Amino acid sequence: MDITLSTNGGGYREGYEEFKKDATGKGLTWLEAIREQGIARFSELGFPTPANEDWRFTNVAPIARTPFSITRNGHEKLSPRALKPYEFPGLETIDLVFVDGAYSEELSKIGTLPEGVRVENLARALETDEELVKKHLSAYADFTDEAFTALNAAFMEDGGFVYVPRGVRLEKPVHILFVTTKRDKATIENPRNLIVVEDNGSAEVVEQYVSLDESVYFSNVVTELFAGENSSVGHYLIERESKKAFNISTLRAEQKRSSNIRSHSVLLGGALVRNNVHPVLGGEGCDSLINGLYMSTGRQHIDNYMKVEHKSPHCDSRQFYNGVLDGRSRGVFHGRIIVHEDAQKTDAKQTNRNLLLSDNAQIDTKPQLEIYADDVKCTHGATIGQMDENAIFYLRSRGIPHETARDVILSAFTNGTIESMHVREIRDYCENLLADWFTQRKLADKG
């Protein structure tokens, strides 16, 4: 039987009481305690409103007023061929596949892993590696003031689990693919991903969210990433969901001494999207790259909230986010760099660049520095503009057609983000997504 979550009547608490009767991990007192804390805090906070400074530019009322269902009817059977468009040509990956929120063992491909490495769905990991999961799950993604993280904590059941032990280099990227099929009613999924890379380890992990139909549904995602000392972790978020879907995703990364993380986001789908990235540079000598591209059209709303915390000295962070907005779409970039008192010798940079292709597109950008140390180097900047007509004229004067000239400028603007991705096949895949976006835009203009 499906479970309905709605702000009406008893609210989400009523649905939670039904959910917990058969929830994954039932009987694990520590997990049940996390869920209870999550629903209690969500009930106190409620959905955020524009009165909340961190949500000033994004109104989540469409999510709050929609009744969502947690489906218990399994998932639609898909053939491997249906997933071909979401593969990375030429790249061998370790695949975890979830269809309508449920893990699909038949579509996943794990293969032989290096000794000690674990790649499996979280529900399975709760059975096979409970102590390891218990140590890290909900240890970093604090939901004291984060309503959607609290909601995820209450209703989390499954997601990707990646564990790389000390000194191991995981050569193959892990691809966690979430597929949503045609929905007869609005559904909600609360994926919880846990990525742990111990000291001197390395891994590349891709999260990809896709739709096979233009249905209404809500993906409320939380990913916790732990990077041990001297580790190196690349994380990719590719969001290309239904133009009627809601997606709230949170990446919370905890970095230890001399660790390096690279966060890449490519956001193309969804009606309302919020991308939260929150690394904490907790050990001396950490390095963090937060790199993203968001492209919207129609009436899409894409919000990016970056919060980078420098807690230790001699750490570097870089934020580079570019936006391309068309139609009546709206983009948001809110970037915070927080330098704590002990984080001397911090070097932090934040850049947000936006290109408006329509007179009706809108962007709100708010770079922000909070510095409590006195020996730091921090910069931030934001730009908003339209297509450079002088550049177009220059290219046309060299015999390049007007439409081609615009494509060249757009490609130059967007490819700068993609080029920083280390894995060539993932980079090529994202470049093809951008090319498709440009093609669809031109077809819409001609239509």
Side-chain angles (χ1 to χ4, degrees), residues 19 24 35 97-98 101-104 120-126 152 155-161 178 189-194 220 222:
F19 163 82
T24 299
R35 287 186 174 133
V97 179
F98 297 82
Y103 178 65
S104 174
E120 55 194 342
N121 62 310
L122 184 63
R124 175 65 175 162
L126 286 168
N152 179 281
F155 290 96
M156 63 177 172
E157 285 198 283
D158 213 349
F161 176 67
F178 294 87
E189 300 165 10
N190 290 279
R192 185 61 162 247
N193 303 305
L194 180 59
N220 181 38
V222 173

Side-chain angles (χ1 to χ4, degrees), residues 1-3 69-77 99-100 102 157 183-185 187:
M1 182 180 70
D2 290 351
I3 299 169
S69 293
I70 297 176
T71 181
R72 295 299 198 190
N73 299 325
H75 60 82
E76 183 175 324
K77 297 296 183 183
V99 180
D100 298 329
E157 285 198 283
R183 307 277 80 193
D184 295 328
K185 54 185 173 181
T187 58

Side-chain angles (χ1 to χ4, degrees), residues 186-365:
T187 58
I188 183 172
E189 300 165 10
N190 290 279
R192 185 61 162 247
N193 303 305
L194 180 59
I195 303 165
V196 178
V197 180
E198 300 282 13
D199 299 352
N200 300 298
S202 69
E204 304 281 336
V205 180
V206 185
E207 292 179 40
Q208 187 169 194
Y209 299 83
V210 304
S211 303
L212 301 185
D213 184 78
E214 290 296 308
S215 298
V216 178
Y217 63 92
F218 178 22
S219 296
N220 181 38
V221 186
V222 173
T223 298
E224 295 181 284
L225 191 161
F226 174 85
E229 293 187 6
N230 298 300
S231 64
S232 176
V233 186
H235 180 270
Y236 302 78
L237 170 65
I238 302 173
E239 187 276 322
R240 44 185 304 201
E241 295 182 287
S242 160
K243 291 297 195 299
K244 297 179 181 179
F246 308 112
N247 183 296
I248 308 290
S249 64
T250 298
L251 170 65
R252 171 62 170 85
E254 181 77 13
Q255 294 188 242
K256 297 303 181 182
R257 182 185 180 94
S258 299
S259 62
N260 174 281
I261 68 163
R262 301 166 305 282
S263 165
H264 303 280
S265 302
V266 177
L267 311 175
L268 303 174
L272 191 161
V273 174
R274 165 84 168 207
N275 173 37
N276 302 298
V277 182
H278 181 188
V280 175
L281 289 71
E284 186 172 354
C286 292
D287 190 273
S288 180
L289 170 65
I290 303 176
N291 179 54
L293 176 66
Y294 48 102
M295 301 175 68
S296 60
T297 188
R299 292 184 177 274
Q300 286 180 273
H301 183 108
I302 300 181
D303 182 345
N304 298 277
Y305 182 80
M306 310 291 110
K307 182 179 178 181
V308 180
E309 287 194 72
H310 286 258
K311 285 191 171 182
S312 295
H314 298 282
C315 293
D316 295 349
S317 70
R318 297 289 183 268
Q319 298 178 54
F320 302 108
Y321 258 68
N322 289 348
V324 178
L325 299 98
D326 199 5
R328 294 182 176 273
S329 65
R330 184 175 183 182
V332 179
F333 177 84
H334 185 173
R336 294 177 64 192
I337 298 175
I338 304 173
V339 182
H340 292 264
E341 187 176 356
D342 294 333
Q344 304 294 341
K345 302 295 183 181
T346 285
D347 186 351
K349 183 176 182 179
Q350 178 189 97
T351 303
N352 175 229
R353 299 165 61 228
N354 299 281
L355 186 60
L356 305 182
L357 303 183
S358 162
D359 292 337
N360 295 313
Q362 180 180 341
I363 178 72
D364 296 288
T365 181

Side-chain angles (χ1 to χ4, degrees), residues 124-194:
R124 175 65 175 162
L126 286 168
E127 300 175 1
T128 60
D129 297 285
E130 181 189 344
E131 290 304 313
L132 183 58
V133 175
K134 181 179 178 180
K135 179 180 177 181
H136 293 281
L137 188 66
S138 205
Y140 316 112
D142 181 26
F143 50 76
T144 303
D145 298 311
E146 302 292 340
F148 286 104
T149 304
L151 181 64
N152 179 281
F155 290 96
M156 63 177 172
E157 285 198 283
D158 213 349
F161 176 67
V162 179
Y163 174 76
V164 179
R166 180 190 298 265
V168 174
R169 177 184 176 87
L170 187 58
E171 299 290 344
K172 297 178 184 178
V174 177
H175 182 202
I176 309 174
L177 177 63
F178 294 87
V179 183
T180 302
T181 63
K182 184 176 181 179
R183 307 277 80 193
D184 295 328
K185 54 185 173 181
T187 58
I188 183 172
E189 300 165 10
N190 290 279
R192 185 61 162 247
N193 303 305
L194 180 59

Side-chain angles (χ1 to χ4, degrees), residues 64-109:
R65 65 171 173 254
T66 303
F68 294 104
S69 293
I70 297 176
T71 181
R72 295 299 198 190
N73 299 325
H75 60 82
E76 183 175 324
K77 297 296 183 183
L78 298 178
S79 69
R81 181 178 299 179
L83 305 185
K84 281 290 183 183
Y86 313 113
E87 296 177 353
F88 308 105
L91 181 64
E92 190 174 355
T93 55
I94 303 166
D95 300 329
L96 294 174
V97 179
F98 297 82
V99 180
D100 298 329
Y103 178 65
S104 174
E105 186 171 0
E106 59 271 22
L107 294 175
S108 300
K109 294 181 294 183

